[in-house]
Amino acid sequence: MAHLLMVESWVGSMSRLLPRAIREAGHEFTFLTRDLHHYLRSAPEGTAHPLLAARHVLSMETNDTDALLPFIERAHGVLRFDGVITSCDYYLRTAARIAGRLGLPGPTRQSVDSACRKDATRRVLAEAGLPGPRFAVCVDWAEAAAAARDIGYPLVLKPVDLCAGMFVRRVDDEAALAHAYRALAAFPVNARGQRRDPVVLIEELLDGPEVSVETVSYGGAVHVVGVTDKSVGGAPAFIETGHMFPAALDPADTEAVEETARQALKALGLDGVVAHTEIKLTRDGPRLVEVNPRPAGNRITELIRHVTGIDLAAACVDVALGGEPDLRRRATGLTSAAIGFLVSDQDGVLEAVDGAATVRAADGLLELQLAEPGKAVKAAGSNNEYLGHVMAGDAQGQGARARVEALLAQLRPRVVTR
C-alpha cells in the first residue's frame, strides 16, 4: 500500500476518478487544501465528497509555495508520502515542486513550469523547431495592438495562465481585440485566489479540425494511448462542445498528430506524466495548440476507458508513484464513445431540461448528467458553464458522435431570465 499526497483537485469528474483509482489500487491518500469548503460546496450527485475519503486532510495555504514546502517536509517526516498528485492545473507546478523537494517521483519543476505557461510552451517549442502559429507575448495593450497589426487578423488572444478556455477569444479586428483585452484585464485573480500574470499571448488563428493526443510518459518514453476529436462552439469563445474517441482520422493524419505530441513532450522534457496535448490539423500539417501535463478533462478519460479498457486515472496514480502503468487494451464491446455538452446561450436560472426522460431511455447511452433546476446559468463563455452532458457508445464503428448529437438535440433547457 502506498500513500499519496493529493494537492488540491478539481471539483468535477477527476475529483471522483482519482480517489477511486487510488482506492482500487489498494493505496490511500492525504488531501492538502487551502479551503476544504471549496469542495464541500460541490459534493457530486448529492453524495459525500470523495475527497473526504482521504486518510488525512491537511489545511495550509497552497498558494504560498515557499511557506508550504517546509510544512510538507514536516508532514512527510510523520506521514511518509510515496508520491504527489493533483488534477488541478493551478497546482501542477506546486505538486512538481513538492515532489522534487521530497525526492519523490514526478516530472521536473522546469518541464511543468514550461507546460503550464502558454507563453513558455510557445518559446520552448519554437526553439525546438516545432512548427506552430506566429505569436507574440505582450505585457501591455500597446504591445498587443502592435503585435496584432504585425501578425495580421484574424487572431486569437489568450491568457498565459488560465485554463478551461477562459478568456480565449477569436478577434477579427482591433476593436474586438480591445474588448477581449479589457475583459481579461478585469479578471486579475483566478478561481483559486492566485493573482494572474497580466501578460497575454497573441497568436495567428489556426484553421482546421482540432484533436487531442492522450499519452502516458514514463521511463523516458512517450506512450500514445490514442487520439480524441473535438467540436468547438460559442464563437468568439472556444467552448468544447463534444469529443469522440477514437478520432475519425485517416492513418496518415493519426500518425502525424501522434508524432507532433511526442516531439512536444520531449521538447518540454515531460516525463512521469499523463498528458493531454491539443493539436490543430491545418492544411500545412499539425500545429500544436497547448500541452496539458495532466489527464484530459471533460470525461475524455472515461471515453477511452469505455473503448479500450485503459484507465488513465489509474495510470496517473501509477506514474506518480514511479511505477509502470497498465496500458494494455482490452475488449469492451465498444469501438467508439462520444460525449456532448449542453450549454446555454443566455443568462438566467435553469427551470428544467425537457426531453431528459426520453434520452435516459435511449439505446447506447452511457451517461446522462444534467444540472439541477434552480441552478444559476450564464451564457457559455468557457468550459466552466456546462449544464450537463450526454455520453454514448457504438459497438459497430465510429457512430458514437452522431448518436450523441441526436440525443443532445432532444434536450431543451428552459432558462428563465430574472
Side-chain angles (χ1 to χ4, degrees), residues 24-48:
E24 290 182 354
H27 306 316
E28 57 187 1
F29 70 98
T30 286
F31 186 54
L32 170 67
T33 179
R34 65 191 296 266
D35 179 15
L36 186 59
H37 290 89
H38 180 85
Y39 303 93
L40 297 179
R41 287 196 303 267
S42 56
E45 289 96 42
T47 64

Side-chain angles (χ1 to χ4, degrees), residues 209 211 227 248-260 281-282 285-286:
V211 299
V227 181
L249 301 179
D250 64 47
D253 283 340
T254 299
E255 183 179 353
V257 296
E258 289 179 354
E259 182 57 25
T260 299
L281 271 166
T282 75

Side-chain angles (χ1 to χ4, degrees), residues 141 157 159 162 167 177-189 195-200:
W141 164 250
L157 176 142
L162 289 175
F167 295 96
L177 179 66
H179 182 270
Y181 188 92
R182 287 194 300 268
L184 177 58
F187 189 75
V189 179
R195 184 156 291 278
R196 290 193 47 256
D197 191 326
V199 169
V200 300

Side-chain angles (χ1 to χ4, degrees), residues 334 357-367 390-395 399-400 402-404 406-407 410:
L334 294 180
T358 301
V359 171
R360 204 175 300 279
D363 292 337
L365 181 71
L366 297 172
E367 292 181 9
V390 175
M391 185 187 294
D394 180 18
R403 185 166 296 178
V404 160
L407 293 174
Q410 298 180 59

Side-chain angles (χ1 to χ4, degrees), residues 106-107 214-225 261-262 265-266 269-275 315 319-320 323 325 327:
E214 323 308 335
T215 57
V216 183
S217 301
Y218 63 94
V222 178
H223 302 265
V224 175
V225 174
R262 287 191 189 95
L265 291 165
K266 289 179 178 178
L270 284 166
D271 194 28
V273 295
V274 177
V319 297
L327 302 180

